[in-house]
C-alpha cells in the first residue's frame, strides 16, 4: 500500500536556522536552510532591500537582524517577482519606493489574490502572522529592461535587470558590478529544488541563464540555498539550475512524443532527477506543479494557468498521491 504524502510543505513545520552574512562592506544576505533568501545593500545614506518575505511579522524579524548593522532608511524595496512568499511582507519595510518589473505589476493584478491563497496553503510555516498582511503588495516604480541606482560615494551602482522570461514573466536580478555580487532571485537556486509552476522553461534554460552567467558574478545569492562564493561555485549553481530544467524538458517532451500521460511524465521526471536533486529542499513539494506547468507549456499553452488553492490539491492528488 502506498503512503499518502502530506500536501506540498504543509507538514514542514520545523524552524530553519537563519544566517545573516556580510558579503562585502554594506552588502547583506540572510539565508535560511532552503527557505527564501533575502538581502540588503547600503547606499551612502539609504538602503535598498531585495525581497520582502511572506508576512510583515517575518519581515520584521529580518529587519531586526539587519538593524544590528545599519540604521539607514529604506529608500527602495526591490521585488524579484510576484510570488506571495516573496512580497507580502512589504509593509514592514516602510520603503519610499517598491520596485519591480512591469510584468510583475501586471501579474499581481491578474493573479495576485489566487497566488496568495495558493502559496499560504502550500507553505503555512512561511506565513507566520498571516493576519498581519494588509493586502496585495503593489510596486510603485516599474521598469522594462534595466534600472540603475547610484549608491553614492564610492559604492558604485546597483543595476536591476530583466533578462527575459524564466521563473516567471517578470524576474529581475540585482547586480553590483563593482563588488561582483549578484542577487539572482529564483532564477538560480543553490542546491535547492526549482519551483517552475509559473515558468517558461525553455527561455529560462537558455538565453535567460546565459545572460545571468555572462555577468561574471563572484558571489551569488539565489532564491534559496547557501550563498555561492567564488566564480566556480557561482557557475556551478547556475549550471545546476539549468540541468534541473533541461532534464525536465527532455523527460516531459519524450513522454508527450510517446503518447503518455501527465502522470507518466511526472514519474519519468521524478526518476530522472531524484538521485541528484531529490535530497534538496522542497523537491517533492515543487515537482508536481513543475511538471504540470511544463506539460502545458510543451502542449502549446503559452502562459501559465493560474494556480488556485483548489487546483493545487487536484494536481497534488493526481501526481503525488494518485
Amino acid at each position: 500500500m502506498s503512503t499518502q504524502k502530506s500536501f506540498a510543505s504543509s507538514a514542514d513545520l520545523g524552524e530553519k536556522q537563519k544566517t545573516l552574512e556580510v558579503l562585502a562592506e554594506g552588502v547583506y544576505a540572510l539565508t535560511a536552510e532552503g527557505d527564501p533568501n533575502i538581502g540588503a545593500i547600503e547606499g551612502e545614506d539609504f538602503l535598498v532591500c531585495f525581497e520582502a518575505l511572506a508576512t510583515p511579522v517575518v519581515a520584521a524579524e529580518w529587519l531586526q537582524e539587519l538593524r544590528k548593522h545599519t540604521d539607514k532608511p529604506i529608500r527602495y524595496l526591490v521585488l524579484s517577482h510576484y510570488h506571495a512568499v516573496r512580497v507580502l511582507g512589504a509593509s514592514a519595510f516602510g520603503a519610499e519606493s517598491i520596485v519591480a518589473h512591469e510584468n510583475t505589476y501586471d501579474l499581481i493584478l491578474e493573479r495576485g489574490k489566487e497566488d496568495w491563497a495558493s502559496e499560504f496553503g502550500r507553505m503555512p510555516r512561511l506565513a507566520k502572522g498571516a493576519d498581519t498582511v494588509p493586502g496585495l503588495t503593489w510596486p510603485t516604480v516599474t521598469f522594462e529592461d534595466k534600472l540603475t541606482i547610484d549608491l553614492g560615494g564610492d559604492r558604485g551602482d546597483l543595476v536591476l535587470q530583466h533578462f527575459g522570461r524564466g521563473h516567471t514573466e517578470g524576474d529581475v536580478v540585482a547586480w553590483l558590478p563593482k563588488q561582483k555580487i549578484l542577487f539572482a532571485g529564483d532564477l538560480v537556486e543553490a542546491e535547492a529544488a526549482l519551483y517552475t509552476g509559473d515558468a517558461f522553461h525553455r527561455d529560462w534554460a537558455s538565453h535567460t541563464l546565459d545572460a545571468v552567467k555572462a555577468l561574471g558574478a563572484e558571489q551569488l545569492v539565489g532564491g534559496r540555498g547557501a550563498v555561492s562564493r567564488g566564480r566556480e561555485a557561482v557557475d556551478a549553481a547556475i549550471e545546476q539550475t539549468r540541468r534541473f530544467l533541461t532534464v525536465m524538458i527532455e523527460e516531459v517532451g519524450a513522454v508527450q512524443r510517446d503518447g503518455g500521460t501527465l502522470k507518466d511524465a511526472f514519474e519519468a521526471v521524478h526518476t530522472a532527477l531524484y538521485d541528484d536533486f531529490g535530497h534538496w529542499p522542497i523537491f517533492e513539494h515543487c515537482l508536481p506543479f513543475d511538471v504540470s506547468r511544463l506539460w502545458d507549456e510543451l502542449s502549446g499553452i503559452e502562459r501559465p494557468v493560474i494556480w488556485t488553492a483548489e487546483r493545487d490539491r487536484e494536481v497534488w492528488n493526481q501526481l503525488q498521491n494518485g
Side-chain angles (χ1 to χ4, degrees), residues 273-286:
L273 291 177
Y274 188 80
D275 285 348
D276 289 336
F277 303 106
H279 61 289
W280 286 6
I282 65 171
F283 176 81
E284 297 291 351
H285 168 163
C286 292

Side-chain angles (χ1 to χ4, degrees), residues 39-106:
I41 302 101
E42 288 189 43
E44 191 72 4
D45 57 1
F46 63 91
L47 271 174
V48 182
C49 288
F50 187 78
E51 310 286 39
L53 298 175
T55 70
V57 168
V58 180
E61 293 174 356
W62 147 244
L63 288 168
Q64 187 174 19
E65 291 301 310
L66 181 62
R67 288 308 185 197
K68 295 176 182 177
H69 297 267
T70 175
D71 61 359
K72 294 175 182 176
I74 299 170
R75 184 175 297 174
Y76 303 102
L77 172 60
V78 179
L79 307 177
S80 71
H81 63 287
Y82 76 96
H83 284 150
V85 297
R86 303 287 183 178
V87 307
L88 291 181
S91 62
F93 290 77
E96 292 180 28
S97 300
I98 298 176
V99 185
H101 191 264
E102 57 189 24
N103 289 346
T104 291
Y105 186 99
D106 293 342

